[in-house]
Amino acid sequence: MADHDFRTEAAALDADDPLGPLRDRFLAPESSDLVAYFDGNSLGRPVADVPGRLADFIDQQWAGRLIRAWDEQWLDWPHRLGDRLGRLVLGAAAGQTVVADSTTVLLYKLCRAAVDAQAAQGRTEIVLDTDNFPTDRYILEGIAAERGLTLRWIEADQRSGVTLEQVREAVGPKTGLAVFSHVAYRSGFLADGPGITAAVHDAGGLVLWDLCHSGGSVPVALDEWGADLAVGCTYKYLNGGPGSPAWGYVAARHHGLLRQPIWGWIGRRDAFDMGPGYEPAEGIRSFISGTPPILAMVPLDASLDLVEKAGMDAIRAKSVALTELVIRMADALLAPLGVEVASPRESAVRGAHVTLRRHGFREVTAALWREGVIPDYRDPDGIRIGVSPLSTSFAEVATGMLALRDAIVRLDAGQ
Ligand SMILES: *Cc1c(COP(=O)(O)O)cnc(C)c1O
């Protein structure tokens, strides 16, 4: 297919896109050089309301109410936003999710709580995979070292990810906790959430899902899966802004039984009594440690308004259509230049990004960034095309993929 055919196809897809109007709800400054944004899987774009909401927050709540706002509403924000995420994005009933900390810190807190409860039953192994996101692997290495536990590694295929069969083989009577990403950060492979959860449970283990690349791009049903624990960030498909706080989910049946290791005053029963000795608060509150980052939660509400308007099913449908266009263009235009699709071709097992591989992609990425086409590069030779369904148009995909083709041609010509 010629270039203009892809442009025509993309225009038709945009014309039919029920979520198309929501693209105008993202901030696009006049001065921006943006041509195509392919990195909403690393840092989502700001919603257009965010400057106004931040200004109102500062004016009315921070300056206006000062310390009174903690009592009036801020202390409730981790729960309010957690419940909202639970309802719109995670398939989690109220009272099980809080917004706090970073993903890394919440991973530590939830994993430590789980392995401690399980080690008391003689379950001393943590099951994980070699291709999980680095922070997940490092945190589990640290916990294993700290608690004298054993790591049982699953060798994951970098072009797909952890399979149900591999998990069944790895778990057993020693399994305390298993930790996986639902969508693999490298390949975009979508793991079998309910199947893997059931397999870990059959062996008597607990399971924690890292949903960083799923939240806001792929429908998730934590309660229905019977998941024990989950964490995720809010700055990728959830557009919460750089360093926006993470969320943690602990299934209600574990409340009061799992105890997290960072005993701070906000997670204590009757925090404002400031009494002697730590006693965990009831419910999910005990998973909070210190003062919640309220200011950094403001943009998330604006983004969740868009998610609510769109609905996760429509978001997923558009995401599938976007990644299918990426793959069709890669096959037609880039395969002849030696580019390989290193993500699952079957949409049912693919999240919202497509990884392409070829030598020279580090240089190609740098060249693309200079012209406002923004994917990201992951060693050894991968470009990730992350297409955030709420903010990305099909035309943007077409333009960006053609620019990628041109950049490869220029690189090969030594220009
Ligand atoms: C992005 C990401 C993280 C990030 O953790 P931070 O603490 O926010 O740096 C963790 N896990 C996965 C799978 C991710 O994709």
Side-chain angles (χ1 to χ4, degrees):
M1 232 159 112
D3 293 7
H4 72 264
D5 295 326
F6 281 115
R7 289 194 190 280
T8 308
E9 182 189 350
L13 286 165
D14 278 324
D16 276 349
D17 173 15
L19 303 187
L22 293 181
R23 283 193 288 107
D24 294 337
R25 304 275 297 269
F26 287 85
L27 200 60
E30 294 280 322
S31 59
S32 163
D33 68 342
L34 182 65
V35 174
Y37 193 52
F38 288 156
D39 216 3
N41 56 329
S42 265
L43 177 67
R45 290 176 51 188
V47 173
D49 282 0
V50 165
R53 289 208 195 201
L54 278 168
D56 284 352
F57 175 89
I58 291 166
D59 225 53
Q60 289 159 28
Q61 296 191 37
W62 183 5
R65 301 305 297 159
L66 290 167
I67 193 74
R68 291 170 293 186
W70 278 113
D71 286 342
E72 288 163 359
Q73 52 170 306
W74 293 340
L75 276 174
D76 192 44
W77 276 36
H79 307 276
R80 178 180 68 76
L81 275 162
D83 286 348
R84 201 166 182 219
L85 276 166
R87 176 169 62 84
L88 297 175
V89 173
L90 304 174
Q96 305 177 100
T97 311
V98 277
V99 173
D101 305 316
S102 64
T103 304
T104 300
V105 171
L106 272 178
L107 258 172
Y108 176 72
K109 288 161 70 170
L110 268 51
C111 290
R112 257 290 304 270
V115 298
D116 286 354
Q118 292 282 81
Q121 327 276 328
R123 292 181 167 272
T124 53
E125 286 186 0
I126 302 172
V127 177
L128 71 170
D129 71 279
T130 50
D131 204 39
N132 205 343
F133 189 81
T135 220
D136 301 60
R137 290 181 276 116
Y138 305 156
I139 286 290
L140 293 172
E141 286 174 20
I143 289 176
E146 185 184 17
R147 307 307 270 180
L149 304 171
T150 304
L151 296 176
R152 181 177 281 274
W153 292 93
I154 292 175
E155 284 287 332
D157 181 343
Q158 287 196 354
R159 281 147 201 273
S160 55
V162 178
T163 65
L164 176 57
E165 292 64 37
Q166 286 180 307
V167 174
R168 283 203 180 112
E169 258 171 49
V171 294
K174 290 250 171 249
T175 303
L177 173 69
V179 176
F180 303 111
S181 285
H182 182 225
V183 173
Y185 82 103
R186 197 191 304 270
S187 70
F189 177 75
L190 182 59
D192 178 354
I196 289 175
T197 301
V200 176
H201 286 172
D202 285 348
L206 299 178
V207 61
L208 180 144
W209 285 104
D210 184 330
L211 302 181
C212 279
H213 279 275
S214 319
S217 74
V218 178
V220 169
L222 287 173
D223 288 347
E224 204 180 297
W225 298 357
D228 300 291
L229 305 161
V231 296
C233 65
T234 62
Y235 52 76
K236 292 174 180 164
Y237 296 101
L238 291 169
N239 311 306
S244 60
W247 57 266
Y249 162 94
V250 180
R253 63 183 176 281
H254 296 302
H255 295 180
L257 299 172
L258 296 188
R259 187 177 270 212
Q260 61 92 359
I262 303 180
W263 298 1
W265 71 295
I266 299 283
R268 187 188 183 275
R269 178 184 304 280
D270 302 321
F272 285 88
D273 288 358
M274 304 193 167
Y278 177 84
E279 274 175 75
E282 276 184 20
I284 190 70
R285 183 158 203 103
S286 71
F287 289 87
I288 299 178
S289 296
T291 303
I294 302 298
L295 185 59
M297 294 183 198
V298 173
L300 182 57
D301 255 332
S303 170
L304 287 177
D305 287 352
L306 297 192
V307 172
E308 183 154 29
K309 213 171 171 54
M312 279 310 304
D313 290 338
I315 288 174
R316 172 64 175 161
K318 179 168 178 188
S319 162
V320 167
L322 285 164
T323 50
E324 282 177 347
L325 179 60
V326 170
I327 290 175
R328 275 201 305 283
M329 292 190 71
D331 285 343
L333 305 173
L334 307 182
L337 299 170
V339 174
E340 253 187 281
V341 174
S343 290
R345 288 180 166 276
E346 213 184 310
S347 300
V349 290
R350 189 178 64 240
H353 71 270
V354 175
T355 298
L356 305 173
R357 293 180 70 164
R358 184 188 185 269
H359 64 88
F361 265 3
R362 182 190 291 278
E363 295 75 15
V364 166
T365 304
L368 288 173
W369 279 29
R370 285 192 293 273
E371 51 185 279
V373 174
I374 312 176
D376 68 17
Y377 172 79
R378 288 290 179 270
D379 270 331
D381 54 6
I383 278 183
R384 292 191 308 179
I385 308 291
V387 278
S388 191
L390 289 173
S391 58
T392 311
S393 68
F394 292 93
E396 198 177 344
V397 169
T399 303
M401 291 295 287
L402 292 170
L404 172 56
R405 190 262 329 263
D406 295 345
I408 297 168
V409 169
R410 279 200 311 272
L411 178 83
D412 286 353
Q415 289 162 5

